[in-house]
């Protein structure tokens, strides 16, 4: 039975929100004061000089030029992450023209303000380029700021979906907090080879029981067309969090790119962003919309759906961009009272299409708000009803426009999505681990409960390749804890470590008790292996994980939240941390990110290069 306060909100959620508010008071006040300096200035075009306007209007069509010259119509800036190598972003190719036409119908103009880089972790896994991935988030934030720096826009539409791209766009948009902003998704690809079958082929390939041709055929059957990958990794977790923050039109996250409803939702987002401008009168700046309650709602939605561990890094940086300070203790305390409502791969077998068919993000939001497990009294881009107004599902009306319908009362598939009254687990998907090895995050919802406790000897590796080579050499057919060091943001940019998943999963399937402890990250695809991720402080900063030696007994306990080396205290205290590993992060563009590696904050501070005042 959920306990709530007299206001209807669970007391732990109320306490965590209050603590965040008090912790952030000074920073948030300064942020809002900065935001207010840019409000109330009328149409942005009116502030430009004639030469400024001529440059900004030069390439526009004649009707738009007339409206822009009058400087009385809202002008919408489009920030796009389009490229046609990312399947998730390829559908964005035609969005600018669609938005321009929808804006004209709504009495406004629209221009592509700029583009941001968008790399695919699925392509760079295990490659040198992956060492640029985490830092690309901050580059995207900066590129968003550059796009909006012309000060010619009254609002913005952000086109982005994947891993670092949405957090980067959001951080950049919050730097222009006086502008209304809506995020416009493009939707997932259709279901192909199931994630469970794909993972099985990966394990067989790691064991030498499947050929490369078989593996490629399986991967191609899973990732087969335009749209977001269908597992519940960082990209699709992004979409859940944006829905919970009220930054999408309701229910728009997981509508397919080829659906007529998809274009109608994009047109509706354009119409709505025009209404949210100061000129139109329903002014809703993103810097005020994203507040302490909104951030807590995002974290709760992540925990309730078993989303990506990457967001224990990214949303700390997002919150900081709005003058809000959160940490892993906040995640952990919220997780202790937020039930797990969804089972989507890798914390289940279903994909996001099945999740959407069962009720999707809108169902999750309705359940949590009604149970007092999410703040309903927040601003959203949809209107004045707060999050209560997002418990709807979009459909295409007879006139070709979007209409929002009431959600079904029950889940369409209780093996995928459940109500608060019947959750998959009473607590959320992520847990904080801490002890003499530092602080770390584990994705508990993806790990079978009989693997929540492991005590085994350490085997220390300094790279992904070293572990994979030891496996291929037959040296790991036993119980052990893989301790993989020098994988944090200062060491090498904190690349994803997905090469471990089939290797360690194969050893678990063979009956061995194995776990991973690392100062690196594995995100939403971490799978069934118990993995203590983002161990902080990292070894490159002198973190105690660097004291571990082969054979040390390591205990990882999800139940108690403990992560420790079971070594005599006197001996442990006398040990030196390993010496710094020689820098191998050169070539392939990595030389250009030396400055970022020098100043980046810890993962619990968002692994950010933008807010170095919080560096340790």
């Amino acid at each position: 039975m959920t306990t709530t306060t007299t206001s209807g909100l669970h007391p732990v959620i109320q306490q965590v929100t209050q603590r965040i508010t008090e912790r952030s008071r000074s920073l948030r006040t300064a942020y809002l004061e900065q935001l207010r300096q840019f409000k109330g200035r009328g149409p942005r075009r009116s502030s430009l000089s004639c030469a400024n306007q001529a440059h900004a209007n030069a390439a526009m069509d004649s009707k738009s030029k007339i409206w822009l010259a009058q400087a009385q119509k809202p002008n919408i800036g489009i920030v796009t992450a389009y490229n046609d190598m990312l399947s998730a972003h390829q559908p964005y190719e035609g969005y600018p023209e669609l938005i321009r036409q929808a804006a004209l119908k709504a009495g406004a103009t629209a221009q592509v303000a700029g583009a941001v880089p968008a790399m695919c972790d699925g392509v760079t896994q295990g490659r040198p380029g992956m060492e640029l991935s985490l830092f690309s988030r901050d580059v995207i934030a900066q590129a968003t700021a550059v796009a909006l720096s012309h000060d010619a826009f009254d609002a913005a539409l952000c086109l982005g979906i994947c891993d670092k791209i949405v957090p980067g766009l959001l951080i950049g948009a919050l730097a222009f907090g006086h502008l209304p902003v809506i995020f416009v998704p493009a939707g997932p690809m259709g279901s192909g080879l199931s994630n469970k079958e794909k993972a099985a082929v990966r394990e067989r390939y790691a064991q030498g029981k499947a050929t490369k041709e078989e593996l490629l055929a399986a991967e191609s059957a899973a990732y087969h067309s335009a749209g977001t990958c269908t597992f519940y990794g960082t990209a699709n977790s992004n979409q859940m969090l944006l829905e919970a923050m009220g930054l999408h039109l309701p229910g728009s996250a997981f509508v397919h790119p080829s659906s007529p409803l998809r274009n109608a939702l994009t047109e509706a987002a354009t119409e709505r962003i025009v209404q949210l401008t100061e000129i139109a009168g329903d002014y809703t700046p993103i810097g005020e919309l994203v507040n302490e309650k909104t951030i807590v709602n995002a974290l709760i939605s992540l925990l309730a759906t078993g989303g990506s561990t990457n967001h224990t890094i990214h949303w700390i940086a997002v919150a900081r961009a709005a003058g809000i300070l959160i940490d892993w203790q906040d995640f952990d305390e919220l997780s202790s009272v937020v039930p797990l409502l969804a089972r989507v791969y890798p914390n289940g077998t279903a994909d996001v299409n099945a999740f959407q068919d069962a009720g999707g993000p809108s169902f999750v939001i309705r359940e949590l708000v009604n149970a007092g497990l999410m703040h309903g009294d927040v601003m959203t881009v949809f209107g004045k009803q707060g999050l209560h107004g997002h418990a709807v599902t979009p459909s295409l009306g007879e006139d070709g426009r979007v209409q929002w319908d009431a959600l079904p009362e029950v889940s369409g598939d209780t093996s995928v999505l459940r109500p608060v009254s019947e959750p998959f687990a009473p607590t959320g998907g992520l847990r904080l681990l801490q002890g003499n090895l530092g602080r770390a995050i584990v994705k508990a919802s993806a790990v079978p409960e009989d693997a929540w406790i492991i005590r085994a000897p350490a085997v220390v590796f300094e790279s992904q390749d070293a572990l994979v080579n030891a496996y291929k050499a037959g040296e790991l057919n036993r119980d052990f804890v893989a301790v993989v060091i020098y994988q944090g943001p200062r060491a090498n940019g904190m690349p994803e470590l997905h090469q471990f998943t089939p290797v360690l999963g194969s050893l678990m399937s063979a009956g061995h008790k194995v776990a991973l402890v690392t100062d690196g990250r594995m995100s939403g695809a971490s799978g069934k292996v118990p993995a203590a991720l983002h161990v902080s402080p990292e070894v490159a900063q002198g973190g105690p994980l660097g004291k571990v030696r082969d054979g040390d007994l390591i205990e990882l306990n999800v139940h108690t939240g403990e992560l420790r080396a079971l070594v005599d205290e006197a001996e442990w205290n006398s040990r030196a941390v390993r010496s710094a590993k020689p820098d191998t992060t050169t070539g392939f563009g990595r030389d250009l990110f030396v400055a970022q590696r020098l100043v980046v904050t810890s993962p619990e501070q968002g692994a950010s290069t933008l807010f170095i005042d919080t560096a340790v």
Side-chain angles (χ1 to χ4, degrees), residues 320-335:
R320 174 62 182 80
I324 299 167
L325 299 173
I326 60 175
D327 59 28
W328 289 345
Q329 189 67 37
D330 300 324
F331 281 89
D332 193 61
E333 290 185 26
L334 293 171
S335 192

Side-chain angles (χ1 to χ4, degrees), residues 167-185:
L169 286 167
L170 185 47
I171 292 167
L174 286 166
F176 289 77
H178 60 288
L179 294 179
V181 178
I182 293 179
F183 279 73
V184 181

Side-chain angles (χ1 to χ4, degrees), residues 214-239:
E214 290 173 316
L215 179 62
L216 179 59
E219 299 285 0
S220 298
Y223 309 118
H224 56 82
S225 63
T228 317
C229 306
T230 60
F231 69 96
Y232 195 52
T234 310
N236 287 318
S237 297
N238 279 335
Q239 303 309 297

Side-chain angles (χ1 to χ4, degrees), residues 193 196-206 210 214-215 218:
L193 183 72
K196 184 177 180 180
E197 292 174 292
K198 175 192 69 180
V201 176
R202 286 179 175 178
E203 284 192 18
R204 289 196 294 110
Y205 180 75
E214 290 173 316
L215 179 62

Side-chain angles (χ1 to χ4, degrees), residues 102-131:
L104 286 171
K105 291 177 184 177
T109 55
Q111 295 175 286
V112 173
V116 302
M119 63 179 290
C120 180
D121 289 0
V123 176
T124 57
Q125 292 294 346
R127 309 292 300 166
M130 176 52 80
E131 295 180 12

Side-chain angles (χ1 to χ4, degrees), residues 106-293:
T109 55
Q111 295 175 286
V112 173
V116 302
M119 63 179 290
C120 180
D121 289 0
V123 176
T124 57
Q125 292 294 346
R127 309 292 300 166
M130 176 52 80
E131 295 180 12
L132 309 185
S133 177
L134 179 60
F135 293 140
S136 77
R137 181 198 68 198
D138 292 0
V139 173
I140 290 164
Q142 292 169 319
T144 302
V146 170
L148 298 176
S149 67
H150 299 97
D151 197 22
F153 307 106
D154 301 290
L157 294 174
C158 289
L159 315 185
I161 292 175
C162 289
D163 298 333
K164 269 62 62 184
I165 299 156
V166 162
L169 286 167
L170 185 47
I171 292 167
L174 286 166
F176 289 77
H178 60 288
L179 294 179
V181 178
I182 293 179
F183 279 73
V184 181
M189 66 179 68
S191 300
L193 183 72
S194 76
N195 289 296
K196 184 177 180 180
E197 292 174 292
K198 175 192 69 180
V201 176
R202 286 179 175 178
E203 284 192 18
R204 289 196 294 110
Y205 180 75
Q207 297 164 354
K209 297 178 181 178
T211 65
K212 187 173 182 178
E213 289 73 21
E214 290 173 316
L215 179 62
L216 179 59
E219 299 285 0
S220 298
Y223 309 118
H224 56 82
S225 63
T228 317
C229 306
T230 60
F231 69 96
Y232 195 52
T234 310
N236 287 318
S237 297
N238 279 335
Q239 303 309 297
M240 180 69 238
L241 270 63
L242 289 177
E243 295 254 348
M245 294 175 76
L247 289 170
H248 275 171
L249 292 186
S252 60
F254 299 129
V255 175
H256 289 293
S258 58
S259 167
L261 179 59
R262 179 81 274 161
N263 281 354
L265 280 164
T266 300
E267 292 171 346
T270 306
E271 294 172 9
R272 184 59 186 154
I273 199 66
V274 173
Q275 295 167 0
L276 297 181
T277 63
E278 282 190 280
I279 302 168
D282 195 7
Y283 182 46
T284 308
I286 189 173
E288 292 181 4
L289 186 157
V290 176
N291 60 22
E292 296 88 344
K293 290 181 179 180

